[in-house]
Amino acid sequence: MTTAPGAGDSCPDRLFGDVGWRFDALKPHAYNCNVVQNPAPSPAPTTKLTLDTALVLYQTMARIRAFEDAAEEASRGGVAVFGASLTDAKVRGPLHLSTGQEAVPAGVCAHLHRDDAITSTHRGHGHTIAKGASIEQAMCELFGRATGFNGGKGGSMHIADFSVGMLGANGVVAAGIPIAVGAAHAAKVLGRDTVVVCFFGDGAINRGPFLEGLNWARVYQLPVLFVCEDNRWSATTATDKMTAGAGALSRAQALDISGTTVDGNDVFAVYAAAGDLLTQVRLGQGPRFLHAVTYRVKGHVSVDAAQYRSPAEVQRALAHDPLLFAREKLQALGATSSRVAALDTAAREEVAAAVRAASAAPWPTAAAAFTDIQDLGAAQFR
Amino acid sequence: MTTAPGAGDSCPDRLFGDVGWRFDALKPHAYNCNVVQNPAPSPAPTTKLTLDTALVLYQTMARIRAFEDAAEEASRGGVAVFGASLTDAKVRGPLHLSTGQEAVPAGVCAHLHRDDAITSTHRGHGHTIAKGASIEQAMCELFGRATGFNGGKGGSMHIADFSVGMLGANGVVAAGIPIAVGAAHAAKVLGRDTVVVCFFGDGAINRGPFLEGLNWARVYQLPVLFVCEDNRWSATTATDKMTAGAGALSRAQALDISGTTVDGNDVFAVYAAAGDLLTQVRLGQGPRFLHAVTYRVKGHVSVDAAQYRSPAEVQRALAHDPLLFAREKLQALGATSSRVAALDTAAREEVAAAVRAASAAPWPTAAAAFTDIQDLGAAQFR
Amino acid sequence: MSATRLSYAAAACLALENAMRDDARVIALGEDVGRGGIFGQYLGLQEKFGATRIIDTPISESTIMGAAVGMALSGLVPVVEMRVADFAMCAMDEIVNQAAKARYMFGGQGRVPLVARLPIGVWTGSAAQHSQSFESWFTHVPGLVVVTPATPQDNHDLLCAALACGDPVIYMEHKELWGLVDEVTPEARLPIGVARTLKTGSDITLVSWSRTVHAALEAATLAAAEGIRVEVIDLRTLWPWDRDAVLASAARTKRVLVVHEAVQVAGFGAEIAATVAETLGVRVKRLGGLRIPVGYAKPLEDEARFGATEILQSIRAFVA
Amino acid sequence: MSATRLSYAAAACLALENAMRDDARVIALGEDVGRGGIFGQYLGLQEKFGATRIIDTPISESTIMGAAVGMALSGLVPVVEMRVADFAMCAMDEIVNQAAKARYMFGGQGRVPLVARLPIGVWTGSAAQHSQSFESWFTHVPGLVVVTPATPQDNHDLLCAALACGDPVIYMEHKELWGLVDEVTPEARLPIGVARTLKTGSDITLVSWSRTVHAALEAATLAAAEGIRVEVIDLRTLWPWDRDAVLASAARTKRVLVVHEAVQVAGFGAEIAATVAETLGVRVKRLGGLRIPVGYAKPLEDEARFGATEILQSIRAFVA
Ligand SMILES: Cc1ncc(C[n+]2csc(CCOP(=O)(O)OP(=O)(O)O)c2C)c(N)n1
Ligand SMILES: Cc1ncc(C[n+]2csc(CCOP(=O)(O)OP(=O)(O)O)c2C)c(N)n1
Ligand SMILES: [Mg+2]
Ligand SMILES: [Mg+2]
C-alpha cells in the first residue's frame, strides 16, 4: 500500500475485484473516475429488482460486515472507555460498529455518483465503504497509519474519503447535518448537479441542528436526502424514551419535507425507497427524508457489552439480520448459494489483505502532527 | 420610589389602583402576596366572558401600551444600532417594543398565579407588566436606576421580577425555552403545583433550542405552556420566508404537544384559548402550545424605521389594533366609553408617575458593578 | 476519620451520593447517567435515588444545560453531565450567556447553583473532538468558578464544595484520571480556591493542575536526583486561583514554571505567568500543549502529550 | 492609489464587494444581511449580487456556521455573519469542533476557507449579553486565525486578506468602531500577522488592538506631554501575532504594557505578557477589562470600560 493519503483510487474495478459482474451495470454514472460535472438527470429508478443489482447490494453489505468484524477483532483491548486498561491493540480508541445496519448505507449509496457527497456519523464505516472508499485505506486509517485516508489523523470517528465524496465521519452527534446542508447549498449556488446524503442516528433527532438543518434545507430547497438510521439506541439509552411524538419522519414532515419509513434491515426495500426519494431530489424538488428502522446489534462502542438491553430484543434483531434476509431473497431471485458464498469469501479475503497491508503500513511521522492545521502561524509554537 | 431592587410589592391593590373592580374577581389566586405553595387545581375556565374580566384584560393592555409609549419617548437618541449617534436619553441601548402585541401577554398571564413562572424574550415589557410587576420599578430598570428590578444591571433586554415569577427577558433568541423547561422540571421534581409559561417569537422556532426544549417538555410531561408570539417578523426579515412547513404549531404537534392557533390581537380569544390550555397543563396533562398570530407594529428596535415593510401591511395591522378591537367588544358587552377611557387615563397617569419617579431615582453606584456576580473570587481582580 | 481506597470516579460518585442523601435539591441530569455514566461516575445512583433525581436525558446539550439553569433558578442544585468538555461546545450560550450571567444580569434576584461536569484532556485514541481542555476559557468568564481536581480525595472534596458553592461551577475532571485509585477520607472537606503544595523546594516553583500534576511530581523527583530542589504546587481550582500560594513560593524560588496539558497559547498558564511577572518580576516559563489538534495515531497523539521527561528538561533549562 | 473617506463598516463592505466581484466563490450568509446587515456592513450587496450570494438566513446560528463549513468544504468561500460575538456561543461546536478541525482531522483532504464575522466589545446600553470580547478564546484553538482591525483601512485590508487566507478566520470588528471614518486606499493589501507601530518611543511599549488602540494613542500623546516616550503597537491580528515586532520593541524599551478591552483574566494580554517575560525577562504589565459582566446602567457599564486616562495612569505607574 503506497498510495498517499487522499489520493485513493477507488474505481469499481479495483474496488470490487473480479466478482463476475460489472458494477456499472447497476449505475452508469457511479464511481466514475472522472468527476461528472453535469450528469443527466437520473431516470426514475426501476422498482423491479434484477439479480445483478441484488448481488451488488449484498456484496456491499458483506464487505462492510467483513470490515467491521476485522476491525472489532483488531480493537480488542484498544479502548479504555468503561475503565478497561489499554493494550497495544491495532485499533485504539472508540470503535463504533454498524454491524446489523449494513443495509442502510448499501441500499442508499448504490444510487450515488462519485461526485455526490455524503456526511456521516461516529458510526461511519458502512457509509465510507458503501460510498466507494477503499477498504484497505479505511483499515489503514483505523490502524492509525500514514497510508490511511486521513493519514492517521482521524481514525474511525473521523474517517473520510473526499475523493469519493465521503465528507467525513463526525465525533459530535448531529454535527454532520448542517455540514451536509451546506454542501448541498454550495452545489446549488455553484450550479452543480449533485446531491448530498446526510446520515445520522435516531438519537441525533433530539439535537437542535436537526431542526435547524432540516428547516434550512427546505427553505432553500436544497438537493439533500436525510437518512435517519434508527437503531433504537443512543449509547446506553433507549431512544424512544427520550423522543417525543412519532419520531424522525413526522418531524421532517412538519417541516414540509416528505419521505418514507422503511425496514432498514431489508436492503432491497432501502434501495427502492432511497431510489424514489433521490430521484425527486435530483429533479430539484428539494430535500427528502428516509427513516430506516434497524437495530444496533453490538454495544455502543466495541468495549460495551450492552448488558442494559434484553437479550430477547437482540435475538429478534439477529434473526432479522440484513445479510441473512438478503441471502433468502437472493435465493428466491435465483442466485445459487455458492455464488453468494463466493461474495462472502471475497469480502473476507479483501479485508484480510487490508489488515495485512495496514499492519505493515508505515506510521505517520511525528512531524505530521504539525501539518494540515492551518497555513498561518507556527504549529510548534508554545 | 424607595423599594430595594427585587423587593417589589406588586399586590393588585397597589398595582391596579382604584379602578372600580377587584382584580381578584377574575383570578382568586392571582398575584397573591403570599406565595401559594400548593394551590388547588384551577377550575376549567369559563368561556363566558364577563364584563369585569374583559375590563381587566383591557386594562392590562392599556398599561402595557402606555408604558411602552413612554419608554419609546424616553429612548429617543439613546441607541446607536443603525449608526445614529448617542444623546443622553433616559433609556439607552436597544429597546424592543411590543406595541400592537399586548393582547398576548394580557390574555395569557391573566390565568397565572403569582407563583407560576414565565420566561420572556428581548421584547419583554408586556410579559413583565402582565405578570404583575410594578410599572414603576420596570421604568426604573429601563432608566438604569438602582431602584429598577435588576438594580440597573439588566435594562429592557434583561428585565425580570422574580418576586412575581417573571424569570427574565433574554437577549438571546430562544434562550428562554430551555430555561422555562427547566423551571417546569424543577416544579415537577419538587412536587410544586405551579406552571410555567414560555414566551418566544416566530423567529425563535428556527433555533435548535426550540426543538430540544419542546421535546424535553413532552418527554418529562412538564407543566409548561409554550406561547409563540408570531408577529410575522424577525428583525428586518419576514419570518415566513425563513420558515419551512406550516410553522410553530405543526412543529409542536409533531412532538405530540397539542395546542391552538389564535388571533393574537383579540385578547378575549387569547384569554379563552390560554385558559383551556392552561387547565390541561395544570391537570398534569403535560405541555401545551399556543400560537398567537399578531403583528409587530413598530420597528425591530425603537430606532428602526422598518422601511423594508410595505406600508399597507402595517396599515392592516393598525386597523386590527388589539386595544381598538377590545374597545369595540367592551362596548358590545355594555361598558360605557367613559369607563374605558378612564382605564386609558389611569394607565397613562400611572406611567407618567413612573417616569417621574424613575427620573428622580438614584443611579446604581459604581460599586454595584462588582456585586451579584459570584461569591468566590474578587471581581475587581485584574 | 475513616479512609477507604477509591478511584477518582468513585470518589466523585460518593461525594454526589452523600450530597443527594443530605439535600433533596441536589439532582443530576445528562445522557446515560441512569446506567452509571460512561465513566462510572454515577454508578448505582439511579438505583438509590430514582429516575426523577438521576435524570436520563435526550442528546440535547443546549437544553441539558439550559434546563439546568431553569432548575437552579427554581430551587434545585443540578449536576450537569456534559460527557466530555468538547460537547459543551453545543451548550456554550447556556453556560456563558445564561448560567454565568443570570445572577448579575437580573440584579441578584436569582442564583444559578449548578455543577457542570466537563471532563477534559487527551484521551487515548479519541482524536481531535474528544481530547480538548478548555479551562482557561471559563476563567475568562465572570460568574463562573473553575475546578480541576487531580486526585481521588480532591475530586471528592471539591465536588462537595462545588455542590455547596451557590454559583455555577465548571467542574473539569480528567478523562485519564478516572481509574486512579487512592485513599479517600469521606469526611474531609476543602474550600474552593486553595492550592496544595505537594513538595517543597527552593530552586524552582512548578505550578500545575489536573492530570499534569502527577507528571510534575515525577519530574520533581527526577530533578531531586540531579540536585534540583523543586517546589510543586497543585492549583486545584483555577477560578478563584490561589495567587497567594503561588506568589509566596515564587518570591522564595525566584523561578516559576507553569505546566499544563491544555494548548499553551492563551492557556491559563499565561495568566499565572503574567501575574507572577507583573507582581514579582521573577523569571517565568510555561510548558503547555502545542497549538495542534489531537491526532488519532499514536505518533500524532504523542505530540499532544508530554510527561515527566519534558518537564524535567524544562526545569533543567530553567535553572541552568 | 486612490484614497477615499470611508467608515469602518463601509471599508469592510467595499472589501467584500470587490472580493465578490472578483471571485464567484465568495458569498455571505447570515440574519438580515439582505437589508445591509444591522450595522450596514453589507449595505447594497444583495442588490448587486442577488439573494443567492448574499443569503438571508433563519435565526439558526448553529446551522449558519455549520452550513458555512459544508459550503467551504465544497468550494465556496463563505463570509459568516454572527451579528455579535456573544451569539457565536450558539455556534461554538461548529466553530471549534468542525471549522477549526476539519482540515487536520480529515488529514488535509479538505479545507475550510471561511471568514466568520464576530463583532466584539462593549456596546452602549447593551448590557451583559451583547458586549463581550472573546478573542483570546479563539487564539487558543488550533486551526483558527484571529483578526482584530482597529481602523477603516485595516478593516478593508484585513478582510481582503482573510478572504484569501484559505483557513477559517475569526474576524472581530468592534461594535463601537462601525462609524469611525478615515481615508481608505482600496488598492492597499496587507498580510495577516503583521503589527503596525503607530508611534515610536523609547520608554515603554504599549501593545493593543481593536478599539483600545485609539485610547492607547491618546494616552501616548498625553504621556508625551509629561515627557514619557511611549511606543504604540497595534497588533491587528492575534493569531498569528507579531511576536517579532513586540519583542524587538520590548528589547529596546524594557517595559511592555498590554492594553485590551476584554476581561484581563485569561485574556490575550496574558499570552503576550507571558511571552515577553519568558523570552526577554523584561518588565510587563497588563491593563484589561475587569472580570465583571457588562451592566446596563451607565455607572455600571463605565466600570467595564476604560480609556486614555486609565492607560495613562498605568503608564505613569510603570515608568515611575
Ligand atoms: C453532541 C454530542 N453529545 C453526546 C455525544 C456522545 N455520543 C456519541 S454517540 C451517542 C449516541 C448517538 O445515538 P444515535 O444518534 O442514535 O447514533 P447511534 O450511536 O445509535 O448510531 C452519544 C450520546 C456526542 N458524540 N456528541
Ligand atoms: C441567538 C440570537 N441570534 C440573533 C439575535 C438577534 N436578534 C434579536 S431579536 C431577533 C429577531 C427575533 O425574532 P422573533 O423571535 O420573531 O422575535 P420578535 O423580535 O419578532 O419579537 C434577532 C435576530 C439574538 N438576539 N440571538
Ligand atoms: Mg441510535
Ligand atoms: Mg417575530
Side-chain angles (χ1 to χ4, degrees), chain B residues 85-113:
Chain B
S85 64
L86 279 177
T87 70
D88 53 355
K90 293 257 163 88
V91 174
R92 59 208 291 270
L95 184 77
H96 301 89
L97 299 165
S98 65
T99 313
Q101 308 179 204
E102 297 88 347
V104 187
V108 172
C109 292
H111 297 284
L112 299 183
H113 308 175

Short mmCIF file of all heavy atoms in Angstrom, two decimals, chain B residues 85-113:
data_model
loop_
_atom_site.label_atom_id
_atom_site.label_comp_id
_atom_site.label_asym_id
_atom_site.label_seq_id
_atom_site.Cartn_x
_atom_site.Cartn_y
_atom_site.Cartn_z
N SER B 85 -26.20 58.62 16.29
CA SER B 85 -25.29 58.94 17.39
C SER B 85 -26.07 59.03 18.70
O SER B 85 -27.30 59.15 18.72
CB SER B 85 -24.56 60.24 17.11
OG SER B 85 -25.50 61.29 17.06
N LEU B 86 -25.35 58.99 19.79
CA LEU B 86 -25.98 58.90 21.09
C LEU B 86 -26.22 60.24 21.74
O LEU B 86 -25.38 61.13 21.68
CB LEU B 86 -25.08 58.10 22.02
CG LEU B 86 -25.16 56.59 21.89
CD1 LEU B 86 -24.17 55.96 22.83
CD2 LEU B 86 -26.55 56.11 22.22
N THR B 87 -27.35 60.38 22.36
CA THR B 87 -27.59 61.53 23.23
C THR B 87 -27.69 60.99 24.64
O THR B 87 -27.50 59.80 24.87
CB THR B 87 -28.91 62.23 22.87
OG1 THR B 87 -29.96 61.35 23.25
CG2 THR B 87 -28.98 62.52 21.39
N ASP B 88 -28.00 61.85 25.57
CA ASP B 88 -28.16 61.36 26.93
C ASP B 88 -29.62 61.02 27.21
O ASP B 88 -30.21 61.48 28.17
CB ASP B 88 -27.61 62.37 27.94
CG ASP B 88 -28.22 63.74 27.72
OD1 ASP B 88 -28.97 63.90 26.73
OD2 ASP B 88 -27.95 64.64 28.52
N ALA B 89 -30.19 60.23 26.34
CA ALA B 89 -31.58 59.83 26.52
C ALA B 89 -31.73 59.07 27.83
O ALA B 89 -30.80 58.46 28.32
CB ALA B 89 -32.01 58.94 25.36
N LYS B 90 -32.94 59.10 28.37
CA LYS B 90 -33.20 58.43 29.64
C LYS B 90 -33.09 56.91 29.51
O LYS B 90 -32.63 56.22 30.39
CB LYS B 90 -34.61 58.80 30.14
CG LYS B 90 -34.73 60.28 30.53
CD LYS B 90 -34.69 60.49 32.02
CE LYS B 90 -34.41 61.91 32.44
NZ LYS B 90 -35.61 62.74 32.54
N VAL B 91 -33.58 56.38 28.37
CA VAL B 91 -33.48 54.95 28.11
C VAL B 91 -32.41 54.76 27.03
O VAL B 91 -32.55 55.26 25.92
CB VAL B 91 -34.82 54.35 27.65
CG1 VAL B 91 -34.65 52.90 27.23
CG2 VAL B 91 -35.86 54.46 28.76
N ARG B 92 -31.36 54.07 27.36
CA ARG B 92 -30.27 53.90 26.39
C ARG B 92 -30.19 52.46 25.93
O ARG B 92 -30.67 51.55 26.59
CB ARG B 92 -28.93 54.37 27.00
CG ARG B 92 -28.54 53.64 28.24
CD ARG B 92 -27.66 54.46 29.17
NE ARG B 92 -26.33 54.74 28.70
CZ ARG B 92 -25.26 53.96 28.94
NH1 ARG B 92 -25.39 52.84 29.60
NH2 ARG B 92 -24.06 54.30 28.51
N GLY B 93 -29.57 52.24 24.79
CA GLY B 93 -29.41 50.88 24.29
C GLY B 93 -30.65 50.40 23.59
O GLY B 93 -31.66 51.11 23.47
N PRO B 94 -30.62 49.18 23.08
CA PRO B 94 -31.73 48.63 22.30
C PRO B 94 -33.02 48.57 23.11
O PRO B 94 -33.02 48.11 24.25
CB PRO B 94 -31.27 47.21 21.96
CG PRO B 94 -29.82 47.15 22.29
CD PRO B 94 -29.50 48.25 23.22
N LEU B 95 -34.10 49.03 22.52
CA LEU B 95 -35.42 48.97 23.15
C LEU B 95 -36.37 48.29 22.18
O LEU B 95 -36.68 48.83 21.12
CB LEU B 95 -35.91 50.39 23.47
CG LEU B 95 -37.24 50.47 24.21
CD1 LEU B 95 -37.05 50.14 25.69
CD2 LEU B 95 -37.87 51.85 24.06
N HIS B 96 -36.81 47.10 22.53
CA HIS B 96 -37.71 46.34 21.65
C HIS B 96 -39.14 46.51 22.16
O HIS B 96 -39.46 46.05 23.25
CB HIS B 96 -37.34 44.86 21.65
CG HIS B 96 -35.94 44.59 21.21
ND1 HIS B 96 -34.87 44.56 22.06
CD2 HIS B 96 -35.42 44.33 19.98
CE1 HIS B 96 -33.76 44.30 21.40
NE2 HIS B 96 -34.05 44.15 20.13
N LEU B 97 -39.98 47.14 21.34
CA LEU B 97 -41.35 47.44 21.76
C LEU B 97 -42.32 46.36 21.30
O LEU B 97 -42.22 45.86 20.18
CB LEU B 97 -41.76 48.79 21.19
CG LEU B 97 -40.86 49.95 21.68
CD1 LEU B 97 -41.06 51.18 20.81
CD2 LEU B 97 -41.11 50.25 23.14
N SER B 98 -43.28 46.05 22.15
CA SER B 98 -44.28 45.05 21.77
C SER B 98 -45.60 45.70 21.41
O SER B 98 -46.65 45.03 21.41
CB SER B 98 -44.45 44.03 22.91
OG SER B 98 -44.99 44.66 24.06
N THR B 99 -45.53 46.97 21.07
CA THR B 99 -46.73 47.71 20.69
C THR B 99 -47.54 46.94 19.63
O THR B 99 -46.99 46.54 18.61
CB THR B 99 -46.31 49.09 20.10
OG1 THR B 99 -45.36 49.65 20.99
CG2 THR B 99 -47.51 49.99 19.93
N GLY B 100 -48.81 46.76 19.90
CA GLY B 100 -49.66 46.02 18.97
C GLY B 100 -49.75 44.54 19.29
O GLY B 100 -50.54 43.81 18.71
N GLN B 101 -48.92 44.09 20.22
CA GLN B 101 -48.92 42.68 20.59
C GLN B 101 -49.41 42.47 22.03
O GLN B 101 -49.28 41.37 22.57
CB GLN B 101 -47.49 42.10 20.47
CG GLN B 101 -46.84 42.36 19.13
CD GLN B 101 -45.41 41.81 19.03
OE1 GLN B 101 -44.63 42.30 18.23
NE2 GLN B 101 -45.07 40.82 19.82
N GLU B 102 -50.02 43.50 22.61
CA GLU B 102 -50.33 43.46 24.04
C GLU B 102 -51.33 42.38 24.42
O GLU B 102 -51.37 41.93 25.58
CB GLU B 102 -50.88 44.82 24.51
CG GLU B 102 -49.92 46.00 24.38
CD GLU B 102 -49.97 46.69 23.02
OE1 GLU B 102 -50.58 46.11 22.08
OE2 GLU B 102 -49.41 47.78 22.88
N ALA B 103 -52.16 41.98 23.44
CA ALA B 103 -53.22 41.02 23.78
C ALA B 103 -52.66 39.67 24.22
O ALA B 103 -53.30 38.95 24.99
CB ALA B 103 -54.15 40.84 22.59
N VAL B 104 -51.47 39.34 23.74
CA VAL B 104 -50.94 38.01 24.05
C VAL B 104 -50.56 37.90 25.53
O VAL B 104 -51.11 37.05 26.24
CB VAL B 104 -49.79 37.62 23.10
CG1 VAL B 104 -49.39 36.18 23.34
CG2 VAL B 104 -50.19 37.85 21.64
N PRO B 105 -49.63 38.73 26.01
CA PRO B 105 -49.33 38.61 27.45
C PRO B 105 -50.55 38.88 28.33
O PRO B 105 -50.74 38.19 29.34
CB PRO B 105 -48.25 39.67 27.69
CG PRO B 105 -48.27 40.56 26.49
CD PRO B 105 -48.79 39.75 25.36
N ALA B 106 -51.39 39.84 27.94
CA ALA B 106 -52.56 40.15 28.77
C ALA B 106 -53.47 38.94 28.87
O ALA B 106 -53.88 38.54 29.97
CB ALA B 106 -53.31 41.35 28.18
N GLY B 107 -53.79 38.34 27.74
CA GLY B 107 -54.72 37.20 27.74
C GLY B 107 -54.16 35.97 28.41
O GLY B 107 -54.87 35.22 29.08
N VAL B 108 -52.86 35.74 28.26
CA VAL B 108 -52.26 34.54 28.84
C VAL B 108 -52.03 34.71 30.34
O VAL B 108 -52.44 33.86 31.14
CB VAL B 108 -50.91 34.21 28.14
CG1 VAL B 108 -50.19 33.09 28.88
CG2 VAL B 108 -51.16 33.84 26.67
N CYS B 109 -51.40 35.82 30.71
CA CYS B 109 -50.97 35.96 32.12
C CYS B 109 -52.15 36.16 33.06
O CYS B 109 -52.01 35.97 34.28
CB CYS B 109 -49.98 37.11 32.26
SG CYS B 109 -48.40 36.76 31.46
N ALA B 110 -53.31 36.53 32.52
CA ALA B 110 -54.48 36.66 33.37
C ALA B 110 -54.83 35.35 34.07
O ALA B 110 -55.52 35.34 35.08
CB ALA B 110 -55.68 37.15 32.55
N HIS B 111 -54.34 34.26 33.54
CA HIS B 111 -54.62 32.95 34.14
C HIS B 111 -53.57 32.51 35.13
O HIS B 111 -53.70 31.43 35.72
CB HIS B 111 -54.71 31.88 33.04
CG HIS B 111 -55.82 32.10 32.08
ND1 HIS B 111 -57.13 31.83 32.39
CD2 HIS B 111 -55.82 32.60 30.82
CE1 HIS B 111 -57.89 32.14 31.34
NE2 HIS B 111 -57.12 32.61 30.39
N LEU B 112 -52.54 33.29 35.32
CA LEU B 112 -51.42 32.81 36.13
C LEU B 112 -51.50 33.27 37.57
O LEU B 112 -51.96 34.37 37.86
CB LEU B 112 -50.10 33.27 35.51
CG LEU B 112 -49.83 32.75 34.09
CD1 LEU B 112 -48.47 33.22 33.60
CD2 LEU B 112 -49.94 31.23 34.03
N HIS B 113 -51.03 32.42 38.45
CA HIS B 113 -50.87 32.77 39.85
C HIS B 113 -49.52 33.43 40.02
O HIS B 113 -48.64 33.28 39.19
CB HIS B 113 -50.95 31.53 40.72
CG HIS B 113 -52.16 30.70 40.47
ND1 HIS B 113 -52.37 29.50 41.08
CD2 HIS B 113 -53.23 30.90 39.66
CE1 HIS B 113 -53.52 28.99 40.67
NE2 HIS B 113 -54.06 29.83 39.81
#
